[in-house]
Amino acid sequence: LASPPAPSANRIRGRPSVHPAMSPPENPNGGAAAAAPSEPAPPAKPSSSKGKKKDDKKDDDLSEEDLALKEQLELYVVRAQDVDPGVQRLALESMRQEIRSATSSMTSVPKPLKFLRPHYGTLKSYYETMPESELKKYMADILSVLALTMSAEGERESLRYRLLGSEGDIGSWGHEYVRNLAGEIAQEFQKRQGDDMPIDELMELVQQIVSFHMKHNAEPEAVDLLMEVEDLDLLVEHVDSTNYKRTCLYLTSSSRFLPSPDDTLALDIAYTIYMKFEDLASALRIALLLDNKSIQYVKQVYTATDDLVLKKQFSYIIARHGLAMEIDDEIAADENDKEMLQEIVNNTKLSEGYLTLARDIEVMEAKSPEDIYKVHLIDGRGASSSLDSARQNLAATFVNAFVNAGFGQVSFCGEHVICGPYEARVSIN
């Protein structure tokens, strides 16, 4: 047997042997080609290049229009820090215009706010170095809007810069900005109340915000803000004929969930608004909910009109509510009118009025229990076995009580029995 081949020199030296197919090509002169010297590894690129590539990729994803807007806003940021006041003013005015046009109808984060996000800290730092001037107030207005999406939670920077800015139209920056500002005002109000600090400048902003909300069909937000700042009386001067019903509806609905005495205050404001617009029936309905002021407010509703028909309506409402009230000369000067209104309030004519209505709508004829049960609809459908006579009589008694008693007629054994209210009650019992 042939002996195994001796290990190669390369394996002896501790290096793996090189396969013939992987050996370096021979030199044309007969020798093996010299190994090429090892090249040094290229230096590592700085980490900032990765961020730059990411930014470049973001810029590549933008459309030409968005890219042009981004470059334009960045130019405004640079020029807003220029030493020339004229250049500063032009840059700030242009930036304000871009932001206002984008935030007027906000369904997502506007592009100007998105593109100015990286420059928020720069603009804040430069604002602190600006001298007191009108331009500084313009810068504060811009920072107040930018803080809408960039401010840290709880810092209330949007409100802070708004108080430092100009006193322009607050609604020109959009509904979302006004709503955010209202939330920060509520938080700041609670803090200042606890620290016993003045709130006059906050209340000036509240006036503007409430006026804006009431003109843009946001009555619940206006009411909520005034409840937070404990100045619900301010609502009366901002309602008009187009929104007072919605405002009062929200007040009366929210009063059920408010603690005392806030619930009474909400109803009181609703009553005042209804009286302002002479919606007397609604005002009376609210007055009856105010236990401690019911009689006083009810008399005010009566004396607010000379229409006898309206006073009759008010009397029926009071009678239905069950309020014991005496009709005096202040409510009705004529003795006959006073007596008539008092009878309505005391429910003396309730049965008579009920029967008159029944005759008018032709439902005076008493109904039998079979008409109520709709027996003809269940015949032949496998109805259960008939009940015993005692249960049938008991059921017929209840049916007559709830259906026919108000008309003064009942139906027993197929015969109509006409009786007065007292006899009807006896037969029911």
Side-chain angles (χ1 to χ4, degrees):
L1 294 174
S3 58
S8 64
N10 289 336
R11 188 174 296 275
I12 292 174
R13 296 189 185 102
R15 289 183 290 181
S17 59
V18 180
H19 194 276
M22 299 178 62
S23 59
E26 294 186 355
N27 214 346
N29 298 329
S38 60
E39 297 179 358
K45 295 183 179 180
S47 58
S48 61
S49 62
K50 294 183 179 179
K52 188 175 181 181
K53 284 185 177 180
K54 187 180 292 187
D55 294 340
D56 292 342
K57 187 176 180 180
K58 287 183 179 180
D59 291 346
D60 292 340
D61 294 340
L62 297 176
S63 63
E64 294 183 3
E65 182 180 353
D66 292 346
L67 190 58
L69 176 60
K70 180 181 179 183
E71 293 175 352
Q72 189 176 17
L73 290 171
E74 290 174 349
L75 181 61
Y76 291 156
V77 172
V78 174
R79 291 186 175 177
Q81 305 173 57
D82 197 278
V83 294
D84 187 355
V87 176
Q88 278 188 0
R89 179 181 294 274
L90 182 60
L92 291 174
E93 286 290 350
S94 302
M95 200 183 304
R96 283 159 59 99
Q97 187 62 33
E98 288 287 351
I99 296 175
R100 279 180 173 175
S101 60
T103 55
S104 57
S105 58
M106 187 183 296
T107 55
S108 61
V109 179
K111 292 177 181 177
L113 298 187
K114 190 184 302 182
F115 296 150
L116 288 173
R117 186 189 300 270
H119 307 285
Y120 179 61
T122 304
L123 293 176
K124 281 177 59 177
S125 301
Y126 182 73
Y127 172 82
E128 300 299 333
T129 64
M130 295 177 68
E132 293 295 331
S133 63
E134 189 177 1
L135 293 178
K136 189 171 185 178
K137 292 183 177 182
Y138 285 171
M139 178 68 80
D141 292 341
I142 294 174
L143 289 173
S144 177
V145 182
L146 295 181
L148 176 64
T149 58
M150 303 170 203
S151 174
E153 186 175 358
E155 293 294 329
R156 298 190 290 278
E157 289 186 343
S158 185
L159 174 62
R160 171 176 168 253
Y161 286 114
R162 178 65 199 180
L163 295 175
L164 295 172
S166 60
E167 299 178 356
D169 181 16
I170 197 173
S172 61
W173 298 103
H175 182 79
E176 193 64 32
Y177 171 73
V178 177
R179 180 184 297 174
N180 177 74
L181 208 57
E184 293 189 3
I185 287 176
Q187 298 175 11
E188 183 68 18
F189 179 83
Q190 296 296 333
K191 181 178 181 300
R192 294 194 180 189
Q193 286 284 87
D195 297 340
D196 197 15
M197 297 172 61
I199 58 172
D200 296 338
E201 55 182 359
L202 289 181
M203 297 312 296
E204 291 179 5
L205 272 181
V206 169
Q207 285 267 13
Q208 298 182 43
I209 293 175
V210 170
S211 177
F212 175 83
H213 282 326
M214 297 301 290
K215 292 176 182 177
H216 292 82
N217 301 326
E219 296 86 5
E221 296 180 18
V223 174
D224 289 343
L225 176 60
L226 291 176
M227 286 182 178
E228 290 290 343
V229 299
E230 302 173 3
D231 194 7
L232 204 54
D233 295 336
L234 190 62
L235 192 63
V236 178
E237 63 186 72
H238 288 283
V239 293
D240 55 31
S241 58
T242 62
N243 57 27
Y244 81 92
K245 289 185 178 180
R246 294 192 299 271
T247 304
C248 292
L249 179 61
Y250 185 75
L251 283 170
T252 53
S253 300
S254 60
S255 67
R256 304 169 189 170
F257 308 98
L258 295 174
S260 181
D262 294 340
D263 55 345
T264 304
L265 177 60
L267 292 175
D268 205 319
I269 297 299
Y271 170 82
T272 305
I273 293 174
Y274 277 133
M275 290 296 291
K276 177 182 178 180
F277 293 96
E278 299 181 354
D279 191 347
L280 300 180
S282 299
L284 178 62
R285 180 172 54 85
I286 301 299
L288 293 174
L289 299 176
L290 295 167
D291 296 333
N292 56 340
K293 299 181 180 179
S294 288
I295 299 297
Q296 174 188 352
Y297 282 176
V298 167
K299 286 187 176 181
Q300 289 180 4
V301 173
Y302 268 107
T303 56
T305 180
D306 295 328
D307 189 347
L308 182 60
V309 176
L310 274 179
K311 291 183 178 181
K312 285 183 180 180
Q313 181 187 6
F314 300 157
S315 300
Y316 278 115
I317 294 175
I318 293 172
R320 182 68 181 86
H321 187 76
L323 178 67
M325 178 179 173
E326 182 180 356
I327 305 297
D328 55 16
D329 295 337
E330 188 179 358
I331 296 175
D334 186 76
E335 288 296 328
N336 294 329
D337 294 343
K338 186 192 305 183
E339 183 180 355
M340 178 184 60
L341 294 177
Q342 190 66 60
E343 287 180 348
I344 295 174
V345 170
N346 295 338
N347 275 330
T348 307
K349 300 289 186 180
L350 181 61
S351 178
E352 180 182 336
Y354 191 83
L355 292 175
T356 301
L357 174 63
R359 282 192 292 269
D360 290 343
I361 61 178
E362 299 179 355
V363 292
M364 283 294 296
E365 184 178 355
K367 294 183 179 180
S368 65
E370 287 75 14
D371 296 334
I372 306 301
Y373 300 153
K374 307 290 184 185
V375 177
H376 63 283
L377 297 178
I378 61 175
D379 286 345
R381 293 191 179 184
S384 60
S385 59
S386 60
L387 300 174
D388 57 4
S389 176
R391 291 188 178 183
Q392 285 181 344
N393 291 337
L394 181 62
T397 301
F398 276 106
V399 168
N400 278 287
F402 287 116
V403 177
N404 297 320
F407 302 104
Q409 301 187 49
V410 293
S411 174
F412 286 109
C413 303
E415 296 182 0
H416 296 333
V417 181
I418 301 177
C419 53
Y422 176 74
E423 290 81 5
R425 287 195 294 272
V426 171
S427 64
I428 291 169
N429 293 330

